[in-house]
Amino acid sequence: MSFGLLVLAFSTVVNPARVRLALRNGGDDTIAYSHVLAGVMLVFGATVLVAAFADTLTAALHVSPETFALSAAAVIAVLATRTVVFPNYRDLPRLRGWRAALIPAAIPLLFTPALFMLTIAAASLESTGEAVGAAAVAFLLVAVGVLTSRRTPWTVAVSTSARLIALGAVVAAVAIAFEAIYNV
């Protein structure tokens, strides 16, 4: 996979617009920006850890990196298609205070099965450094999106953006699948 494809895949899987939609719940249940940024740092750390052990995980599963990339592409495509149809999160579980950085900011908002699978596939097919670098760009986009967002009534525009980004994830999943098939 090229680094550009990795950046596209990671950026669309974390979907900054969908994160922004989750922040727009309003009222007393709004997730604080600082909690989301702390969640971004937690998930980036988890992504680095998963990338470091990607080869060990694929070896333990007795799966080739290409086969794992095919399964990752399927997971990404299914979850992205779901986001295209339903871009809003339903009721997210919420912890109070700084624990909100873990739930809902880190889990389930940012650390998804698609991110987990993509991280393993990218690190096992390419290098840990490339996977971590692409994830860093994606999480930087989420952080910038959170910091620059304002409370505006443009929910339709943000929802449409989340859907378009999810379509980009489907395209990235297809590209990953074709590349994995080609490499076999």
Side-chain angles (χ1 to χ4, degrees):
M1 285 185 262
S2 69
F3 186 72
L5 177 58
L6 288 178
V7 169
L8 173 71
F10 276 102
S11 299
T12 55
V13 163
V14 295
N15 201 336
R18 191 164 191 222
V19 172
R20 181 64 188 123
L21 269 178
L23 293 176
R24 300 183 57 77
N25 288 340
D28 293 334
D29 284 342
T30 300
I31 305 168
Y33 296 142
S34 58
H35 297 160
V36 175
L37 294 177
V40 165
M41 291 187 292
L42 283 171
V43 173
F44 180 68
T47 302
V48 170
L49 188 64
V50 168
F53 290 102
D55 290 331
T56 306
L57 288 170
T58 55
L61 293 171
H62 302 289
V63 176
S64 70
E66 291 82 9
T67 304
F68 196 89
L70 281 172
S71 63
V75 169
I76 293 166
V78 167
L79 292 178
T81 302
R82 182 192 174 281
T83 301
V84 169
V85 177
F86 303 110
N88 291 329
Y89 280 95
R90 296 201 183 231
D91 295 329
L92 288 173
R94 295 181 191 278
L95 296 179
R96 299 288 175 217
W98 279 100
R99 294 180 300 164
L102 181 62
I103 297 175
I107 301 168
L109 193 57
L110 293 168
F111 196 73
T112 61
L115 179 64
F116 180 74
M117 299 285 286
L118 176 62
T119 302
I120 294 172
S124 63
L125 280 176
E126 299 303 324
S127 69
T128 302
E130 285 185 50
V132 168
V137 170
F139 288 120
L140 182 65
L141 289 173
V142 171
V144 167
V146 167
L147 290 174
T148 60
S149 62
R150 298 283 182 245
R151 295 183 191 272
T152 60
W154 297 27
T155 305
V156 173
V158 177
S159 176
T160 302
S161 298
R163 287 180 168 149
L164 291 173
I165 291 170
L167 281 175
V170 172
V171 170
V174 170
I176 290 169
F178 280 140
E179 189 163 329
I181 292 169
Y182 179 75
N183 288 337
V184 170

